[in-house]
Amino acid sequence: MTATAKPDDLKCFYDDGASPPDTPLRIEAERAYREAFLDAAREAIRLEDCFEHLPLDRAWDERRHTRDAAEIELGQFRPDHIVAAARTRGRVQAFEFVAQARERGRDPGYSDQRLASEVIAPWGQRVAMWAATELDPACVSIPPRPDDDWPEPEVKPVAPRLELIARRVCDVPRTGNLAFLRDGTKPVIAAVEKPASPSPARPILPTLTLRQLVDQFPTLREPVIHGLLRQGETMNVISSSKTGKSWLVSDLALAVALGRPWLDAFPCEPGRVLIIDNELHKETSAFRIPKVMQARGIGINEVGDRIVISNLRGRLKDIVGLGTYFAEMEPGEYKVIILDAFYRFMPKDADENSNANMALLYNYLDAYADKLGCSFVLVHHSTKGNQSAKSVTDVGAGAGSQSRATDTHLVLRAHEQEDAVVVDAAVRSWPPILPRCLRWAFPVWTLDDA
């Protein structure tokens, strides 16, 4: 397709992720991805030193160049760009797997020779078998990793970092320092080809002048919850355990689904809502939401198809694992996605008190929101004890980065009167809000400024 393509023929987002091969174009993209992954794996094995001369940076340059070439105009891409994108993604991912295997093997003290012979070479055989498997239009086929069959340790290995755990599930850009790949190492495999000369350096960070920025983005993003949340943003809802957070966000889901004000204070734009709940059984959700509907005078025919619930209790997924789930969604399918409760979506080795770990998880959510064109609402708990003396951004169990990384940090704190709370929020793209009082009258919270 040439640059004369009609706007209706373009895609408004760059599709560079794994998707089930359920259309002819996606089948072509999946085949291109597998072929490129296999070619890159074989190239790494044939190198004189599969770690020293790994062309990882050059592969990333090619991937960025492919994206630039697919963009017809700002934010508009050729619809067939997914084939070229899949090809460069496969090449980058294969080289990343090799680099990560080397990084994992450094702390236990594995020699490069042992890694090449016992890890990388057998991995290449598994990759060839994977690439030849039949395409399944219903699911994404994940390539094998070098460390799927790790050798016996020479010393006890340390637990892998959260960043590496995340990369095993999602293909994310490399952010670590891989300067060790240029350290002196011994040749382990006979050379059959020399690495190509590096491509000219390309700018990594996209930049705009202030004039371009103001001209291209003259307004803020579209509101979702007026005063609190915009499209593509994330909002935390924080309170102590058993306060009624789930009832509160059920009320929020109904307000967004119908375009009604939430709590009679925050007007909502109408749109479909997805609730991903990892605490309640299906029976409990089927009981609770209609109770809130009854209290608000909402009939099932008004909202029955505008709210979708996924109960994951007993088959939990973490933030990273949700990436496969979200890859199947169409952008714009949902206005808001609610994750209840956030602590159960954390990877098992993540530390909620680690700023780095929490910031990484919010980076994933930002990427999902950008791809899906929606907003996320996260339901989380506060620490034990009296919260009244804390600032808004200090309420919430875990590292402080959770309040800094989100766009809206909304908290409920106990009022001196029974069955009442004070709702307050720190917001990023709205004027500051005034604290308001809510009173609990089963099954809903209502404003009670008196």
Side-chain angles (χ1 to χ4, degrees):
M1 185 174 290
T2 65
T4 59
K6 298 179 181 179
D8 291 343
D9 296 333
L10 303 181
K11 278 186 172 291
C12 62
F13 70 98
Y14 187 69
D15 190 346
D16 192 18
S19 299
D22 52 4
T23 67
L25 187 59
R26 292 199 179 280
I27 289 174
E28 184 181 355
E30 176 66 16
R31 286 173 176 162
Y33 167 71
R34 294 189 185 192
E35 291 171 0
F37 191 102
L38 177 59
D39 288 345
R42 287 172 171 170
E43 180 179 343
I45 293 173
R46 290 195 301 266
L47 290 175
E48 178 180 356
D49 187 316
C50 61
F51 303 116
E52 176 69 17
H53 301 297
L54 195 67
L56 183 55
D57 291 332
R58 179 156 51 88
W60 272 110
D61 287 340
E62 293 169 355
R63 191 176 188 184
R64 286 186 284 267
H65 177 71
T66 299
R67 186 191 188 283
D68 293 343
E71 191 169 27
I72 301 300
E73 54 188 64
L74 186 65
Q76 297 291 323
F77 300 90
R78 286 192 293 266
D80 61 349
H81 74 265
I82 66 173
V83 177
R87 185 175 293 109
T88 55
R89 177 169 60 90
R91 186 170 175 81
V92 165
Q93 191 178 43
F95 289 146
E96 282 281 7
F97 281 8
V98 175
Q100 291 166 15
R102 171 82 181 295
E103 186 173 356
R104 177 182 174 183
R106 287 176 63 84
D107 289 339
Y110 292 123
S111 66
D112 288 343
Q113 184 175 6
R114 187 178 184 192
L115 286 175
S117 61
E118 297 185 27
V119 176
I120 302 303
W123 168 68
Q125 298 176 1
R126 296 198 305 275
V127 169
M129 296 175 61
W130 162 78
T133 57
E134 185 177 353
L135 300 183
D136 183 352
C139 66
V140 175
S141 177
I142 300 176
R145 297 184 57 87
D147 48 5
D148 287 342
D149 188 17
W150 202 250
E152 291 296 323
E154 295 167 1
V155 295
K156 184 178 180 180
V158 298
R161 298 197 310 271
L162 175 65
E163 292 85 350
L164 298 185
I165 296 171
R167 285 179 183 170
R168 292 177 188 175
V169 183
C170 288
D171 177 21
V172 297
R174 170 177 59 85
T175 57
N177 179 10
L178 297 183
F180 63 81
L181 292 177
R182 295 186 287 275
D183 295 342
T185 54
K186 297 180 180 180
V188 294
I189 300 177
V192 295
E193 66 183 65
K194 295 182 179 179
S197 58
S199 303
R202 294 176 57 83
I204 297 176
L205 292 176
T207 58
L208 294 173
T209 66
L210 177 59
R211 186 184 304 278
Q212 292 171 326
L213 189 68
V214 173
D215 288 345
Q216 294 177 23
F217 304 97
T219 61
L220 289 168
R221 293 192 172 200
E222 292 296 319
V224 175
I225 306 173
H226 290 261
L228 292 177
L229 192 64
R230 297 182 185 274
Q231 179 182 333
E233 293 185 342
T234 301
M235 179 170 77
N236 295 336
V237 177
I238 310 288
S239 74
S240 58
S241 299
K242 311 304 180 185
T243 299
K245 296 186 294 295
S246 294
W247 294 98
L248 182 69
V249 296
S250 295
D251 201 9
L252 171 61
L254 291 166
V256 173
L258 294 175
R260 293 184 174 185
W262 182 43
L263 301 174
D264 293 325
F266 305 104
C268 298
E269 295 297 321
R272 298 182 79 223
V273 179
L274 171 64
I275 302 174
I276 306 180
D277 195 306
N278 53 23
E279 285 193 326
L280 302 183
H281 293 110
K282 293 182 177 69
E283 293 84 353
T284 309
S285 294
F287 168 80
R288 286 193 176 193
I289 298 178
K291 281 290 185 182
V292 179
M293 292 167 54
Q294 183 180 8
R296 296 300 190 199
I298 300 171
I300 188 67
N301 291 334
E302 297 179 72
V303 75
D305 298 323
R306 298 183 63 82
I307 295 180
V308 179
I309 301 98
S310 177
N311 294 93
L312 297 182
R313 178 165 175 166
R315 47 191 182 94
L316 301 182
K317 283 185 176 291
D318 59 29
I319 292 293
V320 179
L322 287 175
T324 303
Y325 188 66
F326 294 143
E328 301 176 359
M329 297 181 186
E330 291 295 328
E333 185 174 353
Y334 296 105
K335 178 76 74 173
V336 170
I337 297 178
I338 297 172
L339 302 184
D340 187 6
F342 184 49
Y343 77 96
R344 283 197 176 192
F345 286 110
M346 294 183 189
K348 66 177 182 179
D349 293 315
D351 179 3
E352 72 173 13
N353 295 305
S354 165
N355 280 308
N357 285 182
M358 295 299 290
L360 178 65
L361 296 181
Y362 278 91
N363 282 341
Y364 273 102
L365 291 170
D366 287 340
Y368 297 151
D370 186 59
K371 178 184 182 299
L372 298 174
C374 71
S375 302
F376 277 89
V377 174
L378 315 178
V379 182
H380 195 39
H381 59 92
S382 62
T383 55
K384 295 180 179 179
N386 193 332
Q387 308 292 313
S388 61
K390 297 181 179 180
S391 67
V392 172
T393 55
D394 289 334
V395 178
S401 62
Q402 66 176 307
S403 62
R404 296 190 294 271
T406 193
D407 298 285
T408 301
H409 192 69
L410 185 143
V411 302
L412 304 179
R413 289 184 279 198
H415 191 274
E416 60 184 8
Q417 293 189 18
E418 187 177 357
D419 292 333
V421 297
V422 177
V423 58
D424 201 354
V427 292
R428 192 189 306 279
S429 62
W430 298 93
I433 72 168
L434 294 176
R436 307 289 294 273
C437 286
L438 302 178
R439 187 171 296 279
W440 176 246
F442 179 84
V444 295
W445 290 97
T446 56
L447 277 178
D448 187 0
D449 289 333

